[in-house]
Amino acid sequence: MRFPFFETVLTVAIAVVMSVIAYVYLPGLYLSMRITKKQFLRTLPTALISIVIVITLFFLFNPQKLNLSDPLSYAWELIGSSMWIFIMDCRGYFLHFGKKNLRSTLEGVA
C-alpha cells in the first residue's frame, strides 16, 4: 500500500533538512569571515537572485523533460539545487569580503 502523500512529505523533509543546513552553516561562516553586517546584507539579495535565475533556466529549458504540471516530481531537485547555489554564493561573497577586510586591516597596520 502506497502512502498517498509520500511526495509531499519527502519534499517538505528535504526542504527542512536543506534549511537547517543553511541555518547552521551560514552563521558560522559569517562569524568566521569577520565581515560587516552591511556586507552580509549585500550578499543575501545577490545570492537569492542567483537562485531565481537558476530556477527560471530550469523551467525554460527543462533539461530532464519533466512533467512541469506535476511539481512534486521535481520540487526536491529545485530545493536541493537552490540551497546548494545559495550556500555556495554566500560562501563566495563571504570569502571575497573577508579577504577585502583583511587586506584593508593589514594595510592600515603597515
Side-chain angles (χ1 to χ4, degrees), residues 19-93:
S19 298
V20 167
I21 290 170
Y23 181 76
V24 169
Y25 185 68
L26 284 181
L29 200 60
Y30 167 72
L31 292 173
S32 69
M33 298 291 177
R34 294 187 178 102
I35 64 173
T36 64
K37 287 187 181 187
K38 185 177 178 183
Q39 292 168 335
F40 180 73
L41 293 176
R42 268 193 225 162
T43 299
L44 293 181
T46 308
L48 290 173
I49 288 170
S50 65
I51 292 172
V52 171
I53 291 169
V54 169
I55 290 175
T56 303
L57 291 174
F58 183 84
F59 282 124
L60 289 177
F61 297 111
N62 194 6
Q64 297 175 345
K65 308 296 184 226
L66 297 172
N67 181 9
L68 294 179
S69 64
D70 183 21
L72 293 178
S73 64
Y74 59 87
W76 64 272
E77 292 178 2
L78 291 178
I79 292 167
S81 61
S82 297
M83 291 304 294
W84 179 259
I85 291 167
F86 178 74
I87 289 173
M88 291 299 109
D89 279 355
C90 285
R91 182 179 178 271
Y93 282 110

Side-chain angles (χ1 to χ4, degrees), residues 6-26:
F6 178 72
E7 291 90 0
T8 306
V9 170
L10 181 66
T11 301
V12 169
I14 290 173
V16 166
V17 167
M18 294 301 290
S19 298
V20 167
I21 290 170
Y23 181 76
V24 169
Y25 185 68
L26 284 181

